[in-house]
Every structure is written in C-alpha cells, then in structure tokens.
Amino acid sequence: MIPRTLFDADLEGFRDSVRKFLEQEAAPYHEQWEKDGQVSRELWRKAGELGFLCPMLPEEYGGVGADFRYSAVIMEEISRAGLSGIGWGLHSDIVAPYILNYGSEDQKQKYLPKMASGEMITAIAMTEPGAGSDLQGVKTTAIRQGDHYILNGSKTFITNGQLADLVIVVAKTDPKEGAKGTSLLLVETAWEGFEKGQNLNKVGMKAQDTSELFFQDVKVPADNLLGAMEGQGFFQLMQELPAERLQVALTAVAAAEAAWQWTLDYVKERKAFGKPVIAFQNTRFKLAELKAEITAARVFTDRCLELHLDKKLDIPTAAMLKQHTTDLQCKVMDECVQLHGGYGYMWEYPIARAWADSRVQRIYAGTNEIMKEIVARSF
C-alpha cells in the first residue's frame, strides 16, 4: 500500500535473482538441513559465485562495492522464505564490516576475498555462559606473550559455530579492566587448542548451526588483533551494533509480512461452520490490525535503513527499532498460528516454523529489555 521508494528497478531485479536462487538451491533442502543441524557448504560456495556473500565489500577484496540495500534484499528474501538456517547476514554484514572497518591491510587481503567467495565461513563470539548482553562481563582472556596472544575461555550460542573457519573472538587483553580491557581477535578454528562443542538443540532455527566454542591455550598471532591497539574492542562493538540491530529488524518485518500473507491465503481456503474462515469478522479484524502494525513497522524500518545508508543511524534509534519490530514479529506469529488453528502447530506448516524461529529475535543482538534501557538512557 505504501511504495518502498528505497528500492529501484535494479534492486528489484536483484531481489528476483535472490528469490529464484533460494527457491532452487535452498528451499528444497531446508527440511533436511533442519535434521542435519546446519546448511551445506555447497550453498555458501554457490552464493559466493553469484555475489550474494559480502556484496558491500570493495572489488579489491572480492565484493562488488554494493551499498547496504543489496544486503537488505538478501536478508529479507531469506527471512520471507523461512530459510532460517542460512547465516549469511552475520557473515556478510556483521563479521565482514568489522574486518573492513578495523582490520589491517594484511587482514583484509587474507580473509575478505575468501569470505566473499564462500571458501571461508565466519562467526563472531561474544556471548559466554556467564555473560550475554553484559559484554563487560566477558571472562575469556587473551594474554600477550611475545608475538602471540594466549587465548583461554569459552563461548556459547555462536551462530555459524560449527561451520566457521574464522571467528572474531571478544576477549579481555587486560583482565583487570572492564570495557577498556576488551579486544577483538581474529581466530582461525583450525588452530591448536580451538575446540567446537556441541551443535546446540534449539527451539527454533533448527537448520542454523549454533555452537559452544572452547579455547585452551590457543596461540593467536599478535597480528590478528583487530584494530591498531589493544582495548578498542568495546568501542568497535558499540559502533557496529546499530547495524546489527537494523538487520534483525529487517528480518523481523519480512518474516511478519510473509506470515501475514500465508495466513490470509489459509483463511480464504480453510472452512469452518460451512464458510471460509475469512468470512468471520474476528478473522478480518485481526488481519486488518496486523496489517496496520506491520505497515507501520515497515515504514519505520525503511527510514532507519535510509539513516544507516547516510551513516546517521544512532544507537537509541536502532535499539527502538529492534525492540519494536521483534516484539511485533512475535505478536504476528502468535496471532497467525491462532488463525491457522491446530494446523498452525504442525511443523510441516511454515507458520509453525516461523513461530518457533521468531522467539529468539527478542533475545539476541541485545535483549529487548536492554534495548529499552538504552532508549531510556537517551532521554
């Protein structure tokens, strides 16, 4: 009803290409990937060949120099199709910007082209068993010894954790300090002492590999420190978190839009008491209410996308966006399951998967309670 003026004909053509790729190369296999607990590496390589990984990277690092709208299209199409196992957004639009924005030229040349091609899969390890949204409470340490850091500790709930070849690890290079003692390190998973724990059995996102990671005296070359000096990690994280929260919002609204459409199609066909479910006033009113709320969230999200493109999306606004859109996503999924009746609770129906997948959106990238605290501090 309200045109999305951010996306021109070229971007809509790109959207069609992404959608067709996902329909052919991902959707038919996603059920098996749910059983496997991860998607195939082949999908990553095929995506890399078509430029769907790290599109915003400059050409010298293997990208195509696209702006963030192209990444937004990819994230929206993955979310709209319910393909929650695909962890490209974290790889392309969270990990890659850290390396591009803070990495040395050697780090960029070594890692970014492999990330763009799909040869190397990445993750970022922030959360620990005792430290989630409170990043200052991180216990993992990286102590300098000569030309290496000795990394010890553990992480949990790490997206892409099983498939990852490279992980950005949040660690204390000065354990006596809080935020000022935090640094980011580029750690290759093949190095001695790096151990991947179990692939965690989650309520939703069954095809997304989410893992525990363990570090026991891992020798990390000092050159793999991200940034010019130690102690910059907390600042780097704070700078990049608004973009991460925008990504969560983009996927939340796309998922809500898809769920609404699935439900509309279902209630037109499903009959109760001799007539289609859409014929009942309650059904129409519920769908009308959700349509209005989803439309408002879409306009808010697109405005924040504009601000991000102009490098003006601030931390409180991104927090508001993340909290609002993910709360709405969960509301939409719940209402849409209800309108599906018993079938909405069956795993074979997309709405059941979407309902299960949506719940974590209010938890990761900073819990929604933390988002409210961030907004309140800006008053």
Side-chain angles (χ1 to χ4, degrees), residues 55-70:
M56 56 51 170
L57 288 178
E59 291 184 13
E60 61 263 34
Y61 302 128
V64 294
D67 66 50
F68 186 75
R69 291 176 300 170
Y70 285 82

Side-chain angles (χ1 to χ4, degrees), residues 302-314:
D302 280 357
R303 178 59 183 138
C304 287
L305 176 54
E306 284 184 311
L307 290 170
H308 179 64
L309 291 168
D310 292 336
K311 303 186 186 305
K312 294 179 180 178
L313 180 61
D314 60 38

Side-chain angles (χ1 to χ4, degrees), residues 87-211:
W88 298 347
L90 181 136
H91 170 89
S92 298
D93 302 296
I94 295 177
V95 175
Y98 276 105
I99 300 174
L100 182 66
N101 294 336
Y102 306 112
S104 67
E105 186 60 30
D106 286 345
Q107 290 170 348
K108 294 175 188 177
Q109 294 288 351
K110 182 177 182 179
Y111 295 122
L112 293 178
K114 292 180 180 179
M115 291 174 63
S117 70
E119 179 184 348
M120 177 172 275
I121 297 172
T122 61
I124 184 165
M126 300 186 199
T127 303
E128 296 182 359
S133 296
D134 178 18
L135 290 173
Q136 296 188 53
V138 164
K139 301 298 183 187
T140 297
T141 59
I143 306 302
R144 181 75 179 259
Q145 291 187 9
D147 58 358
H148 285 78
Y149 290 95
I150 305 301
L151 180 67
N152 282 285
S154 65
K155 300 290 181 177
T156 193
F157 308 142
I158 306 306
T159 300
N160 295 344
Q162 291 291 311
L163 290 172
D165 306 293
L166 177 72
V167 180
I168 295 178
V169 177
V170 180
K172 288 288 182 63
T173 44
D174 186 349
K176 295 188 294 294
E177 293 286 347
K180 294 180 181 179
T182 304
S183 300
L184 306 184
L185 297 167
L186 295 167
V187 183
E188 297 183 28
T189 61
W191 289 343
E192 186 177 354
F194 190 117
E195 182 183 347
K196 296 176 181 178
Q198 63 176 321
N199 195 1
L200 299 170
N201 185 18
K202 306 181 299 298
V203 170
M205 292 186 149
K206 298 287 190 180
Q208 170 58 252
D209 58 309
T210 309
S211 307

Side-chain angles (χ1 to χ4, degrees), residues 219-232:
K219 292 182 69 176
V220 181
D223 289 343
N224 275 44
L225 177 71
L226 198 58
M229 63 183 70
E230 294 178 7
Q232 295 182 324

Side-chain angles (χ1 to χ4, degrees), residues 243-286:
E244 181 177 352
R245 288 162 184 161
L246 171 61
Q247 291 174 46
V248 173
L250 287 163
T251 62
V253 177
E257 288 173 335
W260 186 91
Q261 188 62 54
W262 298 336
T263 305
L264 177 63
D265 294 342
Y266 180 81
V267 297
K268 285 180 177 179
E269 295 179 3
R270 178 69 173 168
K271 291 187 177 180
F273 302 99
K275 56 184 178 181
V277 175
I278 189 68
F280 294 95
Q281 186 185 66
N282 177 71
T283 303
R284 298 195 304 274
F285 279 16
K286 283 290 184 185

Side-chain angles (χ1 to χ4, degrees), residues 2 6 48 62 86 108 156 171 174-175 182 229 237 241 281 288 338 340 346 371:
I2 298 177
L6 272 171
I86 300 175
K108 294 175 188 177
T156 193
D174 186 349
T182 304
M229 63 183 70
L237 291 166
L241 278 173
Q281 186 185 66
Q338 192 71 18
H340 276 74
M346 297 297 105
M371 297 304 98

